[in-house]
Amino acid sequence: MADAKPKRRSQHWFGDPGKDGFIHRSWMKNQGLPADSFDGRPVIGICNTWSELTPCNHHFRELAQRVKNGVLQAGGLPLEFPISSLGETLMRPTAMLFRNLASMDAEECIRANPLDGVVLLAGCDKTTPATLMGAASVDLPALIVSGGPMLNGRYRNQRIGSGTHVWKFSEMVKAGEMTQQEFMQAESCMSRSAGHCMTMGTASTMACMVEALGIALPGNAAIPAVDSRRYELAQIAGRQIVELVKRDVRPSAILTRKNFENAIRVCGAIGGSTNAVVHLLAVAGRVGVPLSLDDWDRCGRDVPTLVNLMPSGEYLMEDFYYAGGLPLVMKRLLDAGMLHGDAPSVSLSTLADNVADAECFDDEVIRPIERPLVPQGGLAIVRGNLAPSGAVIKPSAASPKLMRHTGRAVVFEDVEHYKSRLADPALEIDADSVMVLKNCGPRGYPGMAEVGNMGLPAKLLQQGVTDIVRISDARMSGTAYGTVVLHVAPEAAVGGTLALVRDGDVIELDVAARKLELHVPADELERRRAEWRPPPPPASGYARLYVDHVMQADQGADLDFLRGCRGDAVPRESH
């Protein structure tokens, strides 16, 4: 006698012989599904962040079909569903404002429907953490398939990188080194195919992070979006999610403390985006793994940057894939004793097994440990009276000469004040100044926009100055560069010390000493604090909900009521 199929979660919908089961099955059959589709086989959701308003993800319909093929091959029933898509390049005031909303969308769609497991299709920056946060809060078997990077940008036979060269070319126009016509010509040369940014920006970083976390298959991070091997990986992922369901392997078994520590170290080795900090803190909060800025500093402090990609280096993601991709980076770190080789993954093998056969095909793109791009490349956490809860800086993208610097503040109360003051030729600013931008954090903007990498005044650029110290409670694009201190916590909008900084105040930055200090007497700061008034909150709508409940950057900027795992149980029927 054949073994009976285990009663899966989906059978609480489809296995009911009564009225409710009739409703669930009958309406699904209008899609032409045979009766045996509901016989207890694993039902796999394909969570798709496709949208034509998210250019990075516009190829996801084909990617979803490949996942479906894999699910069918493995004996499952694939069912695709949409959630909110977050287009970094189009959404105002910032896609980050909606990351937590999209995570709620993913969480509730997964929990509310008859699913046994889910494949998350993500690419553009916030779609990766949003889908993972949502899935982690349900804790059904899940894995991520990233959309992959665009092909390398080429302009006048030179590599140009997504975002990185936007900032560079924009400054060149202001400095008189590039014409407006040349600037416009570069647009089509930068974005040549489907896929997300091909620099080591936030999208590429987060694709690397999910592979390092073990929640994506080996090789996921770097395969170009238009490479046939990306579709092959999607089909294999469709097969693998069925196996994960059969073995009941859930995100809580994968997203362990060891994997978070591995991801932090990998982030340093790839020269990853500062945005990875807030996203991994938020994901950890969903699965109940204690993680803090101190962990980022402790785990990443001595990790060398091995990956020579823009914005820290000179190559792009296509080159990274051909050179050996993330498995090679992880193998080199593992061989150096920097990773937990026994960490689990959705491949059902350990990290050590996943990277055992990794080979190097270009030592310039992926440097050996003994010849790193930057000896200490991990993201640095600085603290002091200006950032009591911490702030973040990316040493691999900063100017070495500014890593220890003292200068006088040039203060911008908000982003509009920055734009108006920057255009003023009378602005008192020089190469030793420290630019300070307020009210751009989680509550202040709201949404913690990517405006921290403030452009320099034209008069400094024309003098040949390309970098000065910049400090804010904002984020910056992972494609950006410069000596930029970000995520200052507490932010200005909640009365953090940043709110009290005034023009001419002396600020000291010492990255090696992990120090960020405002040299103003305590009694003067108290006097200023008594005069400070918080900005008014949004009147209504989601932005008001967000501002009322968003946590600070050092806690991942999640909504306070979303932290933790709420499980997959839905005991009540709908009719």
Side-chain angles (χ1 to χ4, degrees):
M1 183 176 177
D3 293 337
K5 291 183 179 179
K7 186 168 183 180
R8 306 192 191 284
R9 180 177 184 270
S10 58
Q11 284 298 290
H12 293 287
W13 281 259
F14 297 135
D16 180 0
K19 166 183 67 71
D20 293 318
F22 180 104
I23 292 171
H24 300 319
R25 291 185 300 272
S26 179
W27 267 259
M28 289 297 289
K29 285 181 178 180
N30 77 0
Q31 301 177 66
L33 292 172
D36 63 359
S37 300
F38 312 107
D39 62 0
R41 67 189 65 198
V43 178
I44 305 301
I46 301 172
C47 178
N48 197 343
T49 56
W50 171 90
S51 171
E52 290 179 343
L53 290 170
T54 306
C56 304
N57 298 10
H58 80 85
H59 60 300
F60 278 20
R61 284 174 166 171
E62 177 64 20
L63 204 63
Q65 184 58 53
R66 301 309 176 103
V67 176
K68 289 180 185 178
N69 293 348
V71 172
L72 290 167
Q73 285 177 333
L77 173 63
L79 297 174
E80 181 182 353
F81 64 94
I83 65 161
S84 304
S85 190
L86 307 177
E88 186 66 38
T89 56
L90 295 182
M91 294 190 83
R92 293 183 178 180
T94 170
M96 182 63 176
L97 175 63
F98 307 104
R99 182 200 67 179
N100 301 334
L101 180 63
S103 80
M104 294 169 68
D105 192 356
E107 176 183 347
E108 301 305 336
C109 281
I110 294 168
R111 181 184 295 112
N113 283 291
L115 304 177
D116 301 308
V118 63
V119 175
L120 311 169
L121 300 186
C124 193
D125 298 11
K126 310 305 177 294
T127 58
T128 299
T131 54
L132 183 54
M133 289 160 67
S137 288
V138 183
D139 202 31
L140 283 177
L143 61 78
I144 289 184
V145 174
S146 299
M150 290 187 278
L151 297 176
N152 288 356
R154 301 290 295 184
Y155 176 64
R156 299 192 172 186
N157 205 32
Q158 294 183 351
R159 288 185 190 88
I160 62 170
S162 307
T164 301
H165 275 83
V166 175
W167 323 127
K168 180 177 180 180
F169 288 163
S170 177
E171 301 287 66
M172 288 173 66
V173 171
K174 287 197 290 185
E177 299 170 2
M178 188 179 199
T179 67
Q180 187 66 36
Q181 182 180 5
E182 290 168 339
F183 183 68
M184 300 296 286
Q185 288 172 349
E187 285 183 7
S188 299
C189 302
M190 181 173 293
S191 304
R192 301 195 301 121
S193 77
H196 58 65
C197 295
M198 84 303 275
T199 46
M200 190 53 77
T202 303
S204 295
T205 298
M206 292 311 297
C208 291
M209 291 296 91
V210 293
E211 186 173 335
L213 284 168
I215 201 71
L217 291 174
N220 169 79
I223 306 171
V226 294
D227 193 308
S228 62
R229 289 165 286 191
R230 174 61 59 184
Y231 296 112
E232 178 185 355
L233 181 137
Q235 190 151 326
I236 293 170
R239 297 176 187 170
Q240 189 66 10
I241 189 62
V242 174
E243 188 63 26
L244 293 174
V245 169
K246 290 178 178 178
R247 300 193 188 197
D248 197 28
V249 178
R250 299 175 182 246
S252 55
I254 302 296
L255 298 172
T256 63
R257 173 77 184 188
K258 286 183 178 180
N259 269 333
F260 279 103
E261 290 184 352
N262 284 345
I264 290 171
R265 293 184 175 113
V266 167
C267 191
I270 63 175
S273 167
T274 51
N275 290 311
V277 178
V278 288
H279 296 325
L280 261 63
L281 290 171
V283 173
R286 297 296 184 98
V287 292
V289 172
L291 197 71
S292 69
L293 290 183
D294 290 337
D295 294 314
W296 272 92
D297 203 54
R298 176 182 57 82
C299 293
R301 186 171 191 136
D302 296 321
V303 176
T305 297
L306 306 181
V307 178
N308 184 12
L309 258 63
M310 300 178 195
S312 299
E314 58 182 309
Y315 295 97
L316 296 166
M317 285 295 289
E318 194 179 345
D319 308 304
F320 180 49
Y321 178 57
Y322 302 149
L326 194 68
L328 175 61
V329 176
M330 295 174 73
K331 179 173 171 45
R332 288 185 165 169
L333 293 179
L334 180 65
D335 290 346
M338 295 184 184
L339 297 183
H340 301 289
D342 60 346
S345 78
V346 291
S347 72
L348 299 176
S349 297
T350 64
L351 179 150
D353 290 336
N354 287 339
V355 305
D357 297 326
E359 297 181 73
C360 181
F361 304 105
D362 193 329
D363 264 341
E364 274 306 305
V365 178
I366 303 175
R367 300 279 188 89
I369 289 279
E370 61 272 12
R371 189 171 61 86
L373 185 70
V374 179
Q376 289 186 310
L379 300 176
I381 308 302
V382 293
R383 297 180 188 270
N385 69 340
L386 188 50
S389 299
V392 180
I393 186 171
K394 183 177 178 178
S396 65
S399 299
K401 67 179 182 180
L402 293 175
M403 297 285 275
R404 185 177 183 183
H405 180 80
T406 300
R408 294 194 175 276
V410 177
V411 178
F412 309 99
E413 295 299 325
D414 54 34
V415 71
E416 289 78 19
H417 187 218
Y418 156 72
K419 290 178 179 179
S420 64
R421 283 197 87 187
L422 195 73
D424 183 357
L427 179 66
E428 294 185 11
I429 189 170
D430 58 32
D432 293 326
S433 298
V434 175
M435 295 173 72
V436 176
L437 177 61
K438 304 178 184 179
N439 293 303
C440 293
R443 291 182 64 177
Y445 204 76
M448 202 180 175
E450 292 184 343
V451 294
N453 53 311
M454 293 169 274
L456 305 189
K459 66 180 182 181
L460 288 187
L461 295 169
Q462 290 161 5
Q463 295 168 16
V465 178
T466 58
D467 191 17
I468 66 175
V469 174
R470 287 158 276 182
I471 299 171
S472 76
D473 47 13
R475 297 177 301 113
M476 77 172 179
S477 168
T479 67
Y481 52 88
T483 310
V484 185
V485 179
L486 304 152
H487 310 186
V488 170
E491 65 174 302
V494 299
T497 309
L498 186 69
L500 311 180
V501 182
R502 296 184 179 177
D503 278 344
D505 288 348
V506 175
I507 295 176
E508 178 188 0
L509 170 67
D510 188 338
V511 177
R514 298 302 196 259
K515 182 179 182 182
L516 182 63
E517 200 74 19
L518 175 65
H519 289 290
V520 173
D523 58 347
E524 171 60 15
L525 290 179
E526 285 306 309
R527 187 186 68 79
R528 295 180 188 180
R529 190 176 301 281
E531 297 174 354
W532 176 80
R533 297 293 180 271
S540 61
Y542 170 70
R544 178 59 182 265
L545 174 72
Y546 179 93
V547 166
D548 286 349
H549 291 280
V550 71
M551 303 169 76
Q552 288 296 286
D554 62 301
Q555 296 175 300
D558 201 357
L559 302 185
D560 52 17
F561 60 83
L562 291 178
R563 284 172 69 89
C565 177
R566 286 161 284 284
D568 65 89
V570 187
R572 287 180 168 174
E573 263 290 356
S574 56
H575 291 84

